[in-house]
Amino acid sequence: MPPTTTASSGQQPGKSGRKKGRRARLIVLVLVLALIGAVAYGGYWSVSTVRASFPQTKGSTELDGLSGPVDVKRDSYGIPQIYASSDVDLFMAQGYVQAQDRFYEMDVRRHMTSGRLSEMFGTGQVKDDEFLRTLGWDRVAKKEYDTKLSASTKKYLQAYAKGVNDYLQGKSGEDISLEYAALAFKNDYKPEKWTPVDSLAWLKAMAWDLRGNMQDEIDRALMTSRLGPKQIADLYPDYPYSRNQAIVQEGQYNELTGTFEQNGSSQANGLSGTGTSTSGTGTSTSGSGTAASGTATGTSASTSSSTASALQSQLSGLYDVLDDVPTAVGVNGQGIGSNSWVVAGSHTITGKPLLANDPHLSASLPSVWYQMGLHCRTVSSKCQYDVSGYTFAGMPGVIIGHNAKIAWGMTNSGVDVTDLYLEKLSGDGYLYDGKTVPFTTREETIKVAGGASKKIVVRETNNGPLLSDRSDELVKVGKKATVDNAAPDRGDGYGVALRWTALDPGTSMDAVFAMDRASNWSDFRAAAALFDVPSQNLVYADAENIGYTLPGRIPIRAKGDTGAIPAPGWDPKYTWTGKYIDQDELPYEYNPERGYIVTANQAVVDKGKYPYTLTTDWGYGTRSQRITDLIEQKIKGGGKISTDDMRQMQLDNSSEIAKLLVPKLLKIDVEDKDVRQAQELLEGWDYTQDADSAAAAYFNAVWRNILKLAFGNKLPKELRVKGQCLWVDPVNTVGPADEADKVRECGQRDADQAQPDGGDRWFEVVRKLMDDENSDWWKTPAGVGDRPKADNRDELFERAMIDARWELTAKLGKDIDTWSWGRLHRLFLKNQTLGTEGPGFVQYMLNRGPWKLSGGEATVNATGWNAAGGYGVVWVPSMRMVVNLGDLDKSKWINLTGASGHAYSAHYTDQTGKWVKGELLDWSFSDDAVDKNTTDTLVLKP
């Protein structure tokens, strides 16, 4: 039955929110008056249209299927805390409330994950849908639901879907969200009912976003068209284990027992007797031979560089398809990182552990995260949850946060769970082990709003779906492409298939609920064992203990560094074995003697302490080591760490690459007085990248130009910024060539995805070249006008300082007193659908910004920017939290945007200003604290 209400459906701000509410109403009124008569969609939006979808937050409403009343208490930021007397009621209410605030976002996500964006947005999304149908996320999610998940998880997913659908019942599109009002003018689109599989499929999207080194695999293969093995090796240096500490330091693999042990003992493992494996079909071979270690150069594996170069055009086309996929909902695979660390009570003011987390994702509006508390009035077998934290709109449970006993955080481990395979296609099949094997096929129909449906055939090999079928460019090899003698004749082109753990059904949804109700380390480890995809670094704390564990379904490869470059799919020696590293063998740490654990995408375990290759493409540890240094400074100084100390560490803006380069830059004798004036900004600079810092602006411009001159102009066009055309040296040449030999090439990659991106891999590249002052990488020809050529390191640095001076003069003005990093480094928040593709006035209504930001690339305050493309912010700490295990009510949190997905709601971006300043909100958990901060209460009645 449709919900009935005893209060108006419009949002009713509490006392502390009334001023914001009045301001929002005035803004809405002004905008609506300005838009009346607009003809973009042939109509206009009234105030009632803009406000129609605001949620009811007071009074009561009926929710069919509840066994008892449920209270939804919201604070002045609109963050809901839900109180129920049964698990089913709790998750049904969660679905209802999230749909109130974020259903449009949820709807877009499910259409993305199922390859049905064209149903909402028309022909422009057909290519994305073709690719997503080929991956088949929703098909895998359906298999998970049918065959893998526990009965209780299914029950919770059903309850959540019931809550969403009760909210939708009887509502038109414009009653749900402003965006539907816009879509209705064009497509007459109407939302359909929510299903449990819709919730599961979003985990696949996040797994895709966190899939590991697939982009490096593509880039290394593309580099072979212009660079040789030694040059590629220069650009992918080894991880600096001696300088940047791995996560796990007090444990190693025991060959005799076939388990990972800490300090020679497995007593704290937490998995004893469970026999848990991430694989439903295979387990690792205990004490088996190691996976091949390989290198990260892209040329040392058995697949030769000439074979990889044959894929240049295919992989370039693949990149174009991949680039668009996650950005449909504002998340993106490039630049993703995260910080999380935990400090034992022996080093804190409270005597109890502190845990911090800030995942780094592309900025989206609304934020990918949704803050929420899920509370059983009495915790019992009937109602098992008392948890608060960050979840995804569209999915029940809490992903990151704490319950009454434990807290946890996540960072991307970066382990390699994807491999690209070259496939020799032949008629209706593909070559494998000397024989032609028929494809596995299925037909998919893509419905298109305002257009004819399109049918596609998805083909799969034993290595996975053929991604190359989604782009004509991926099916053909250029006439000049070569292969080695061991490879089969290419015919009309190799295909490219994807093997990825997330394309097999898993149990990650079970893990979410298990973590939410875990009460100790053993419970948590058992829950983590279910978290098969994506593999994450999990940090843990309870009132007395801290820990770390690496979960995930991580493949054991039969031969070769399969994960570094595309592998020959026709050779059975490169096929996955079907076995995965057992959970007892994966690295963990529990109460290490040092009293803290830091994870920030660095290497998980030191080389030589572990037999399996987890990946050859770790983050290089710049952020993790800086966090470690900050903790050590506090401890060695005799101090104790507070909640606010943890917050301050999250905001650390120190530039590690500046510490290396600035002393060299200051020694260069610059003749031009204007350039010298800019150089003087670096004198006495503390390397802190505050938004108002002129020195940070100039240094980052110099760094960008060093990268461009030394590396960017020498990379193949497939990696350089789209539209930037250069006369470049011939293939396999690094040093300057004769002018007559130059060739003109234009970049092909989006600005925020191009290379060199300036991250800490490039820090390490430059660090290793610093002592080789005459390396060919430092050589560059003369530039436009009087820009000098460079024949060594210092000459290139001088040229970069000159170029940076005049670049910033053009961008910020000649007067360096007006320069600031924040003027260059700005954040724009965009609605990821109509905010990027809609008419101008719709974008104006839905988008927000800019904000001037501190921080930078590979900085703890990781407001990332891509040095190849510019200075604008491309990813951010998507949320920040600090959990105080001594008093959970003294924990702190913040979201990038706000609780609401409704434009002009008071809670659309009401946390952003505080987020920019580095402030955190109080995070109420206990009944008393929640009640004290409640401004609105809605009662859901049976």
Side-chain angles (χ1 to χ4, degrees), residues 123-272:
T123 57
Q125 297 297 324
V126 170
K127 284 288 186 184
D128 285 345
D129 283 347
E130 289 179 1
F131 184 78
L132 290 159
R133 294 288 183 95
T134 300
L135 287 174
W137 290 343
D138 61 330
R139 295 170 60 86
V140 180
K142 178 73 163 58
K143 290 179 182 177
E144 282 186 357
Y145 185 80
D146 290 341
T147 66
K148 287 289 185 179
L149 298 182
S150 68
S152 61
T153 293
K154 290 182 180 181
K155 181 173 66 174
Y156 300 156
L157 288 166
Q158 292 163 1
Y160 181 91
K162 178 71 166 57
V164 174
N165 292 329
D166 272 45
Y167 172 74
L168 296 177
Q169 192 170 353
K171 289 182 172 63
S172 65
E174 67 180 29
D175 292 332
I176 300 170
S177 184
L178 179 64
E179 289 91 337
Y180 289 120
L183 286 177
F185 284 117
K186 184 177 181 181
N187 297 337
D188 195 28
Y189 172 81
K190 292 181 176 60
E192 61 192 33
K193 286 187 175 182
W194 193 260
T195 73
V197 173
D198 293 335
S199 296
L200 287 175
W202 181 242
L203 277 175
K204 299 301 176 186
M206 293 309 297
W208 174 261
D209 215 41
L210 304 168
R211 62 194 179 274
N213 73 335
M214 187 168 161
Q215 192 61 58
D216 289 317
E217 195 172 334
I218 292 171
D219 286 356
R220 277 190 288 263
L222 291 172
M223 285 179 183
T224 60
S225 69
R226 293 197 55 79
L227 303 176
K230 171 62 169 64
Q231 295 152 357
I232 295 174
D234 286 345
L235 303 186
Y236 286 90
D238 292 336
Y239 184 89
Y241 288 98
S242 61
R243 190 176 68 254
N244 295 343
Q245 296 177 2
I247 296 171
V248 175
Q249 300 169 41
E250 299 178 21
Q252 63 182 27
Y253 187 83
N254 187 322
E255 292 282 356
L256 295 177
T257 64
T259 60
F260 194 90
E261 298 178 358
Q262 181 172 321
N263 297 327
S265 171
S266 60
Q267 292 179 357
N269 192 326
L271 287 178
S272 299

Side-chain angles (χ1 to χ4, degrees), residues 538-556:
L538 297 178
V539 293
Y540 165 94
D542 59 39
E544 305 298 334
N545 307 289
I546 64 172
Y548 161 83
T549 190
L550 175 70
R553 186 191 298 140
I554 303 170
I556 297 174

